[in-house]
Amino acid sequence: MEHTIIIGAGPCGLACALELQKHDINPLIIEKGNIVHTIYRYPTHQTFFSTSRNLEIGNIPFVTEKYKPVRNDALAYYRDVVSRNNIRVHAYEKATDIIKKNKIFEVKTIKNNRTKTYYAKNVILATGYYDQPQYIGVPGESLPKVKHYFKEAHPYYGLDVAIIGGKNSAIDAALALYQAGANITVLYRGASYSKSIKPWILPDFDALVQKQKIKMIFNANVKEIREQEAIYEVGNQTFCIKNDVVFAMTGYQPDISFLKRIGVQVDRQSGKPVKNEETFETNIPNLYVAGVIISGYNGNETFIENGRWHGSKIVKSIMKNE
């Protein structure tokens, strides 16, 4: 019997574990990838919007040479946090169901095609959202050429690349692809640049657009993706462009179906799990939510820098219940 099981070993899940350790509770984290798997999936040379201090968890210093850390800095930091604090993590094990019976949770998992059941008094869901892309729902979106994640630019040298979206992930990908020699068209449904774009990269990007090094199309609605083309509309006009690869950088969302299946109430419009705002406890007693999963369809509401504090509220509630 576990005291507390945490589903998800991202920064917010790890922060919950550190908070529980302050109360002599050694939780078990179940993670379908490995620790901070979302950060691992970021582009190889990603620079964070936040400073290293704002990514710290458990009051453990995160020291970097530069003011804003890069992906590899963060991976090393969180590995060190887990190692130094002996946080128990079962990696590459996926939680498939959570059932509450007689005030005890049964947490069912699968790893290497083998199923297992754990028992716990409390469960914290910190599953993030990065594994569930927001699909745009157009013909051809399932083609192999369509990708919802950008890792590195080199494989796309000399190719015609369309990027759907106009926020940070799209702009970062466009800049990297330009440096690697891709021919880039950015298709964005907004009428102007998004206000969420990191201010230190927008001038560089806009300069490339003004010099016609990158083609930026505003008010663009993608209608179809074909093997060698992409079709989009601007107003009442339809355009067809030659295209080898599409990066649909259209955002991500939490696994709403899993939440509903285990009995967590979810707001239909926002996709947010119903919770106590003070304790983060859901409608199921002793089942909590932490991190970006609380934001529903609007993942921009919660980041590491504010989600890392959820653990203190959750653990306070857990200890009070005891």
Side-chain angles (χ1 to χ4, degrees), residues 36-105:
V36 293
H37 186 64
T38 291
I39 295 175
Y40 167 72
R41 297 187 72 176
Y42 283 177
T44 301
H45 305 292
Q46 177 82 44
T47 299
F48 279 84
F49 187 92
S50 301
T51 64
S52 56
R53 177 170 293 183
N54 286 333
L55 299 178
E56 293 175 354
I57 57 176
N59 294 318
I60 300 167
F62 180 9
V63 181
T64 55
E65 179 182 0
K66 296 181 179 178
Y67 183 62
K68 293 185 181 294
V70 298
R71 166 184 169 273
N72 281 349
D73 293 333
L75 291 176
Y77 169 73
Y78 292 115
R79 288 197 303 266
D80 196 47
V81 166
V82 172
S83 176
R84 286 176 178 266
N85 292 278
N86 296 312
I87 298 175
R88 291 191 299 150
V89 179
H90 286 193
Y92 301 104
E93 187 168 354
K94 183 178 181 180
T96 56
D97 204 1
I98 301 172
I99 304 166
K100 192 172 188 182
K101 294 181 179 179
N102 300 321
K103 297 185 179 182
I104 299 298
F105 290 99

Side-chain angles (χ1 to χ4, degrees), residues 14-186:
L14 296 177
C16 289
L18 291 171
E19 196 68 30
L20 283 161
Q21 287 185 346
K22 293 178 183 178
H23 297 272
D24 297 321
I25 296 168
N26 190 20
L28 171 65
I29 300 182
I30 296 172
E31 165 59 51
K32 66 180 178 181
N34 210 328
I35 62 168
V36 293
H37 186 64
T38 291
I39 295 175
Y40 167 72
R41 297 187 72 176
Y42 283 177
T44 301
H45 305 292
Q46 177 82 44
T47 299
F48 279 84
F49 187 92
S50 301
T51 64
S52 56
R53 177 170 293 183
N54 286 333
L55 299 178
E56 293 175 354
I57 57 176
N59 294 318
I60 300 167
F62 180 9
V63 181
T64 55
E65 179 182 0
K66 296 181 179 178
Y67 183 62
K68 293 185 181 294
V70 298
R71 166 184 169 273
N72 281 349
D73 293 333
L75 291 176
Y77 169 73
Y78 292 115
R79 288 197 303 266
D80 196 47
V81 166
V82 172
S83 176
R84 286 176 178 266
N85 292 278
N86 296 312
I87 298 175
R88 291 191 299 150
V89 179
H90 286 193
Y92 301 104
E93 187 168 354
K94 183 178 181 180
T96 56
D97 204 1
I98 301 172
I99 304 166
K100 192 172 188 182
K101 294 181 179 179
N102 300 321
K103 297 185 179 182
I104 299 298
F105 290 99
E106 294 183 2
V107 179
K108 299 182 181 299
T109 70
I110 186 167
K111 180 176 183 178
N112 297 329
N113 295 319
R114 298 183 65 180
T115 60
K116 190 172 182 178
T117 301
Y118 299 86
Y119 300 91
K121 297 178 182 179
N122 307 281
V123 172
I124 302 172
L125 292 176
T127 50
Y129 73 124
Y130 201 61
D131 286 329
Q132 292 80 226
Q134 291 189 28
Y135 296 103
I136 55 177
V138 300
E141 190 172 13
S142 60
L143 289 171
K145 66 182 272 187
V146 181
K147 307 176 188 303
H148 291 273
Y149 300 91
F150 174 77
K151 193 70 173 177
E152 294 194 49
H154 174 77
Y156 309 103
Y157 163 76
L159 300 185
D160 295 314
V161 178
I163 299 173
I164 303 172
K167 296 186 179 180
N168 281 310
S169 58
I171 302 306
D172 283 337
L175 288 170
L177 287 161
Y178 169 75
Q179 293 293 332
N183 306 312
I184 306 152
T185 301
V186 180

Side-chain angles (χ1 to χ4, degrees), residues 221-257:
N221 290 303
V222 177
K223 307 303 291 184
E224 184 180 358
I225 300 168
R226 301 172 182 170
E227 289 285 357
Q228 298 179 347
E229 299 166 323
I231 312 299
Y232 68 93
E233 291 180 354
V234 177
N236 295 321
Q237 289 187 287
T238 301
F239 300 88
C240 176
I241 56 171
K242 181 175 175 292
N243 175 254
D244 299 305
V245 179
V246 172
F247 283 99
M249 314 304 289
T250 50
Y252 309 92
Q253 62 185 10
D255 191 347
I256 302 295
S257 61

